[in-house]
Amino acid sequence: MTTATPLPAAPPLPAWKRAFRNISRQHAFQPLRVEGAIPEGLRGTLFRLGAWTFDVHGTPLQHWFDGDGGVMGVRFGPDGVQGAARLVDSRTMVTERQAGRQLYGSYAMPVPLRNKLLNPQKNNANTALLPWNGRLYALHEPNLPVELSLDDLSTLGETNLDGVVLKAFSAHPRRVESRQTTYNFGQHHGRVNTLELYALPDGGKARHVGSVKLPGATMVHDYVATDRYLIFFLPGMRIDVLKMLLRIGAFAHNVSFRASDAAEVLVVPIDDVARPIRIPADNFFNWHFSNAYEDGDTLVVDYVRYPDFASNQWLGELAHGVPSTDADGMFHRARLDLKARTFRSEPLLDLSCEFPRVAPSVACRPYQTVYLGAHGTQEARRGLYDALVRLDLGTGRVTRAGLEAGQYPSEPVFVPRPGSKAEDDGWLLTQVFDVKTDTTHVAVLDAERLDAGPVARCHFEHALPPTFHGQFVPA
């Protein structure tokens, strides 16, 4: 008689994994418990957006990016702090919830067989927010913007901005203060692959400003702007457009990084979009930019750089367990010589990092300070970012925010002190998941004394899933 050897027990999931569960409670603005003191000059609303569902009626989603969008609002007013949390109700999301089963394809979820002929694409509205002309929009780059109510975060509906947006509208608009205009783009893939460029002037109507041909069906998540240029990094990647047209697999399965290919930097003059400048570069991938500015005939561009597209797998695994690889994004500075058509890049920070943000006053300008989410140790790289840091670009000094163990922050959003343009004279706001209390709070940190810890914490009574990006709208 033989005795079966028991299989070893699976290692327990890390505590941060509890952040990745469906939102448990939705509500309009209601008072939040405040620990500490809200600074007198902090008035306005922090809005944050992310993927807040992790299954479709019991079927697990394949990637963090597949979730339905959820929006958090925290309003800082003279009578206290209020918070709200709601799922976005795009037309496709509501239809799918009512059906009680998956109807649509998304980033890593193929279209169900029975629905393939309908070519349905879900508008997840889960990536970033655009405040513009007194309105608020949830963005998801393959789709149209979804307008949200500033009053209670309810969904007002999809919009093509009065017929201007052709279809796709990136989740990363960029404001150029000198032009009083926010710019954005959408990608079109087919026989001809293009970037469709849009301008959203303050107080005016959106307009389509032109198309720029891409070298192939590549993937562009973010871009950056200076006073005169829109700058796109085009990695050596290819989307299998034929498979996408035939609904074979999902987007994430039909995009590949080609290590031996070259990348291309596309520099589009804002006043002459028909004459872009193309600069060859070694191959790499990036999700997000920090800032860019002009230095004579050179463009200085700061961004988070990856050696390849493995971060896509890391992000997908993060929502379901422990990633099988380390996060490997590094903060870089690139110099683009427009005359010589050359690209040089060097690392500025020896930490795994993402979600860089700067003070609004220095966008498109030379600057000194960048705030980032980071992994505090090498061992932490297979989990949620567990640190916020401030990097002094002049000295290289890194200051880490004084957060407690077991607290996992989101992207930092800098809010300037009223009347100040200094890059560290204001506050950092970050959504934090606390594993000890199993709840979410928004931490308010003095940007100049980041290591002193939060001056205030605004507590929800429940946990909220992590979010990707946020915007602060002053009162």
Side-chain angles (χ1 to χ4, degrees), residues 204-240:
K205 292 187 176 183
R207 66 181 189 275
H208 180 252
V209 297
S211 302
V212 179
K213 188 175 180 180
L214 292 169
T218 189
M219 175 179 169
V220 183
H221 178 69
D222 193 5
Y223 83 111
V224 73
T226 68
D227 284 340
R228 295 185 295 164
Y229 300 101
L230 309 180
I231 304 162
F232 301 85
F233 286 178
L234 311 179
M237 300 175 68
R238 285 299 177 265
I239 300 165
D240 192 324

Side-chain angles (χ1 to χ4, degrees), residues 8 20 135 164 315 338 351 431:
F20 290 95
R135 296 182 171 183
V164 172
L315 287 162
L338 298 182
L351 275 178
Q431 175 188 338

Side-chain angles (χ1 to χ4, degrees), residues 197-318:
L197 305 178
Y198 301 98
L200 286 72
D202 294 357
K205 292 187 176 183
R207 66 181 189 275
H208 180 252
V209 297
S211 302
V212 179
K213 188 175 180 180
L214 292 169
T218 189
M219 175 179 169
V220 183
H221 178 69
D222 193 5
Y223 83 111
V224 73
T226 68
D227 284 340
R228 295 185 295 164
Y229 300 101
L230 309 180
I231 304 162
F232 301 85
F233 286 178
L234 311 179
M237 300 175 68
R238 285 299 177 265
I239 300 165
D240 192 324
V241 177
L242 180 60
K243 283 188 175 180
M244 293 300 295
L245 290 174
L246 295 174
R247 294 92 159 173
I248 300 174
F251 177 87
H253 310 135
N254 291 319
V255 60
S256 60
F257 184 87
R258 300 179 177 183
S260 60
D261 287 4
E264 179 178 284
V265 177
L266 182 66
V267 180
V268 181
I270 295 174
D271 295 321
D272 192 2
V273 299
R275 302 178 68 180
I277 301 166
R278 300 179 187 270
I279 301 174
D282 58 309
N283 206 3
F284 62 92
F285 183 77
N286 82 296
W287 291 106
H288 299 117
F289 292 89
S290 164
N291 197 15
Y293 59 90
E294 300 168 24
D295 183 12
D297 292 322
T298 297
L299 302 181
V300 180
V301 180
D302 293 345
Y303 66 108
V304 178
R305 177 181 174 123
Y306 296 84
D308 50 35
F309 196 47
S311 57
N312 180 62
Q313 177 182 333
W314 184 89
L315 287 162
E317 293 175 342
L318 191 68

Side-chain angles (χ1 to χ4, degrees), residues 387-422:
L388 290 182
V389 299
R390 181 183 67 220
L391 172 63
D392 186 314
L393 296 169
T395 65
R397 181 184 177 189
V398 177
T399 303
R400 180 169 173 171
L403 301 177
E404 297 177 9
Q407 294 185 342
Y408 293 88
S410 65
E411 166 204 61
V413 175
F414 178 82
V415 181
R417 195 180 307 275
S420 177
K421 293 188 179 298

